[in-house]
């Protein structure tokens, strides 16, 4: 079983492609991340619960999930205090 963490984020910008054949991007600010690493850009294409393609809107509140297999994680040593 994998390990995961969910962080809140906000879509702060929708970036139209320079080349029409390229996908639109959504820029997401991740709350709690360091200032220089707060923003990520992802392709603005999701699938809803009915299998329909949808896209994010500017200002949307989102959750960013990070998931790793158990063998890709380290167990923190217990404090001796």
């Amino acid at each position: 079983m994998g390990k995961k963490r969910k962080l809140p984020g906000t879509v702060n910008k929708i970036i139209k492609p320079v080349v029409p054949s390229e996908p639109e991007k959504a820029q997401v600010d991740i709350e709690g991340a360091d200032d220089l690493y707060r923003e990520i850009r992802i392709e603005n294409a999701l699938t809803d619960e009915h299998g329909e393609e949808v896209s994010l809107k500017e200002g949307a509140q989102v959750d960013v999930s990070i998931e790793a297999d158990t063998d890709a994680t380290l167990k923190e040593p217990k404090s001796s205090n």
Side-chain angles (χ1 to χ4, degrees):
M1 176 175 225
K3 306 297 181 193
K4 62 174 92 172
R5 181 169 182 193
K6 190 183 295 187
L7 301 167
T10 304
V11 177
N12 76 352
K13 187 187 299 185
I14 300 298
I15 302 161
K16 300 293 183 190
V18 176
V19 179
S21 62
E22 294 290 318
E24 178 178 88
K25 301 280 183 169
Q27 183 170 300
V28 179
D29 283 349
I30 301 172
E31 292 179 31
D34 290 345
D35 285 341
L36 292 175
Y37 306 101
R38 180 164 299 190
E39 298 171 346
I40 61 169
R41 291 183 178 179
I42 60 168
E43 189 173 320
N44 193 11
L46 299 126
T47 306
D48 71 8
E49 63 274 9
H50 305 291
E52 299 288 325
E53 281 196 27
V54 296
S55 57
L56 295 166
K57 299 187 287 187
E58 194 168 312
Q61 299 297 304
V62 298
D63 289 324
V64 177
S65 294
I66 299 167
E67 188 169 348
D69 289 333
T70 301
D71 62 351
T73 62
L74 298 172
K75 194 168 200 151
E76 292 293 323
K78 292 185 179 186
S79 177
S80 61
N81 292 346

